[in-house]
Amino acid sequence: MFDELSDLYQQVILDHSKSPRNFRVLPGANRSAQGYNPLCGDNITLYLELDGDVVKSAGFQGSGCAISKASASLLTEMMKGKTTGEIRSLFNRMHDLVTTGKCEGAPDGKLAVFAGVHKFPARVKCAILPWHAAMSAIEGKQDPVSTE
Ligand code: ZN
């Protein structure tokens, strides 16, 4: 399935899925949410430490395919120091990117690696799953998020 992704993007995704960043339960987490993608079997729990409106720290646990893990890894890196409003707008851009291959303006940093995902409709949910979990954690929802 990676054939059409460029080598560079493939490397970033493989790197993050093999050695995911922030792959841990956050001791200071005050928000968490679980995301489940039954189509692929991705099951990811996201932990956030929110200080007012700013994400101080983020982590995740769970199991999933390379795309969902890489997405969660990059997401937890990107969220640090951002406000919930900024994360919401990043979510919208990421959503556009994985469903259409582009977003308004240039994709933010490493998010660009997911631009090729829209060619693989079954993988779109893998890429966006951790983001749904993040939004759910920010909104303080209790129910697990499912992509179905
Ligand atoms: Zn997946």
Side-chain angles (χ1 to χ4, degrees):
M1 63 147 288
F2 283 115
D3 291 355
E4 289 179 56
L5 294 177
S6 81
D7 284 349
L8 172 70
Y9 290 179
Q10 202 182 120
Q11 272 173 29
V12 174
I13 288 174
L14 286 178
D15 172 42
H16 275 266
S17 65
K18 276 186 190 156
S19 355
R21 321 299 195 265
N22 310 305
F23 190 68
R24 62 198 159 93
V25 178
L26 273 191
N30 48 18
R31 297 291 176 90
S32 71
Q34 190 191 356
Y36 179 51
N37 174 15
L39 218 63
C40 178
D42 309 312
N43 197 341
I44 281 172
T45 304
L46 210 93
Y47 301 93
L48 296 181
E49 186 182 349
L50 268 184
D51 183 9
D53 198 33
V54 176
V55 173
K56 275 185 73 181
S57 198
F60 76 103
Q61 287 269 279
S63 58
C65 65
I67 299 274
S68 63
K69 265 193 180 164
S71 178
S73 173
L74 278 162
L75 169 65
T76 50
E77 275 197 325
M78 289 185 80
M79 281 197 295
K80 273 181 216 169
K82 293 214 164 55
T83 66
T84 53
E86 286 170 333
I87 293 165
R88 192 179 304 274
S89 98
L90 275 177
F91 170 86
N92 291 332
R93 294 161 69 77
M94 174 72 173
H95 194 271
D96 285 351
L97 199 62
V98 296
T99 51
T100 68
K102 37 187 182 283
C103 65
E104 215 185 303
D108 304 74
K110 289 180 175 166
L111 280 194
V113 302
F114 295 103
V117 168
H118 79 282
K119 293 176 195 155
F120 310 95
R123 295 292 167 164
V124 169
K125 287 174 176 171
C126 305
I128 206 75
L129 179 71
W131 288 79
H132 276 301
M135 296 315 297
S136 177
I138 285 170
E139 285 159 15
K141 289 184 185 155
Q142 299 298 323
D143 296 332
V145 198
S146 172
T147 53
E148 294 305 300

